[in-house]
Amino acid sequence: MDGQNMGNEQNNNTNQYSHYQDNTANIPSGASEEIAESNKANTLQIVGLICGIAGIVLGCCFGVVGLIIGVVGLICAITGNKQGATGVGTGAIICSIIAIAFSLISMIISLIFGAAVLSQLSGYYY
């Protein structure tokens, strides 16, 4: 091979890649930030999740307190999901519903055992 053919091969290699297009130049600069902002959880969803988790913990021991916190968490989560639904909002709704259920079950069990204890104690005073 002579020097001329060698030069032609190099030109063919560079021509092969000269049709490469940089598609990232077509994306607007703020588009990726807008996508990231739309997937972020808002404050009401986070408050709803915290209230839901606290309601589960407190609902097992203190029924009324867990019920109140669970209802507050449910209201915050639903309001937050109206602004933009994310996984945090869905988790907040689920945790709040579980907190309300645990609280109601705890209150029912407390009433049943409380009534049983009171009926036994009232028998001693006759």
Side-chain angles (χ1 to χ4, degrees):
M1 288 196 199
D2 58 357
Q4 289 177 340
N5 286 339
M6 186 91 160
N8 287 340
E9 287 178 15
Q10 288 177 349
N11 284 341
N12 287 339
N13 286 341
T14 56
N15 287 338
Q16 177 182 356
Y17 296 107
S18 66
H19 299 292
Y20 173 75
Q21 293 179 350
D22 186 14
N23 291 329
T24 58
N26 297 331
I27 299 174
S29 61
S32 62
E33 294 171 5
E34 291 173 8
I35 293 171
E37 287 291 324
S38 67
N39 289 336
K40 290 179 72 175
N42 58 29
T43 306
L44 285 173
Q45 291 172 333
I46 295 171
V47 169
L49 183 64
I50 291 170
C51 287
I53 293 171
I56 290 172
V57 173
L58 294 174
C60 293
C61 301
F62 309 106
V64 177
V65 176
L67 181 67
I68 292 170
I69 292 175
V71 169
V72 168
L74 186 63
I75 292 170
C76 289
I78 291 172
T79 307
N81 274 349
K82 287 181 182 177
Q83 296 175 2
T86 62
V88 174
T90 305
I93 290 174
I94 292 171
C95 286
S96 297
I97 290 172
I98 292 172
I100 292 169
F102 278 179
S103 298
L104 290 175
I105 291 170
S106 174
M107 289 180 357
I108 290 170
I109 290 173
S110 296
L111 286 174
I112 291 172
F113 282 121
V117 168
L118 284 177
S119 69
Q120 285 182 352
L121 289 177
S122 64
Y124 294 121
Y125 294 114
Y126 284 121

